[in-house]
């Protein structure tokens, strides 16, 4: 169920962003990446441990978002895909009791859909130039 919900939410976010024109703004998907990365920090605060490691990792994803927002959208797509991989590895490598058991699968599904979508958008931007504002 978490994977199905994540896939549906990821597709819904991409479709809504396209329909509403949010993804025309170069800051939209970098912001999504920063928000996605911040959830594990929230869970560390809730669980009372792993805060420093979760902050360090979120800082790395924020750096990718920043670089991607400066004209390298493909880095945001890669960042989302890497975060999906991180979600899958998280339970085995970081002890954070604040993370709900279903979260890694859910978040990985969202990240993988959005990461793939952003890479497709980045390819279009590269071929056709940026969308009009």
């Amino acid at each position: 169920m978490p994977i199905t919900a994540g896939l549906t939410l990821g597709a819904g976010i991409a479709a809504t962003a396209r329909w509403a024109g949010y993804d025309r703004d170069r800051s939209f998907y970098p912001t999504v990446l920063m928000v996605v990365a911040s959830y594990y920090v929230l869970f560390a605060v809730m669980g009372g441990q792993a805060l420093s490691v979760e902050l360090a990792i979120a800082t790395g994803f924020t750096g990718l978002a920043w670089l991607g927002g400066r004209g390298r959208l493909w880095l945001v797509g890669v960042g989302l895909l890497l975060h999906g991989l991180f979600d899958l590895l998280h339970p085995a490598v970081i002890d954070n009791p604040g993370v709900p058991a279903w979260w890694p699968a859910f978040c990985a599904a969202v990240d993988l859909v959005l990461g793939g979508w952003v890479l497709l958008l980045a390819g279009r931007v590269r071929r056709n130039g940026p969308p009009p504002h």
Side-chain angles (χ1 to χ4, degrees):
M1 180 67 115
I3 294 171
T4 302
L7 294 172
T8 303
L9 182 62
I13 290 168
T16 301
R18 173 56 47 158
W19 175 78
Y22 299 151
D23 62 359
R24 289 186 191 144
D25 188 317
R26 70 179 184 164
S27 68
F28 180 74
Y29 284 110
T31 301
V32 169
L33 177 55
M34 289 187 294
V35 170
V36 164
S38 73
Y39 278 104
Y40 284 106
V41 175
L42 169 67
F43 296 143
V45 170
M46 291 169 51
Q49 64 188 63
L51 182 59
S52 61
V53 93
E54 299 288 16
L55 274 169
I57 292 166
T59 299
F61 284 111
T62 298
L64 276 175
W66 181 80
L67 288 170
R70 303 200 39 87
R72 297 175 204 90
L73 185 60
W74 65 273
L75 282 174
V76 176
V78 168
L80 285 162
L81 293 176
L82 286 173
H83 196 272
L85 178 62
F86 170 70
D87 289 318
L88 297 174
L89 296 174
H90 190 278
V93 297
I94 299 174
D95 183 22
N96 183 344
V99 178
W102 53 268
W103 182 261
F106 168 80
C107 192
V110 172
D111 292 342
L112 295 175
V113 168
L114 290 177
W117 177 246
V118 171
L119 286 176
L120 283 173
L121 288 177
R124 287 183 190 162
V125 167
R126 199 179 255 170
R127 284 190 302 276
N128 303 330
H133 293 301

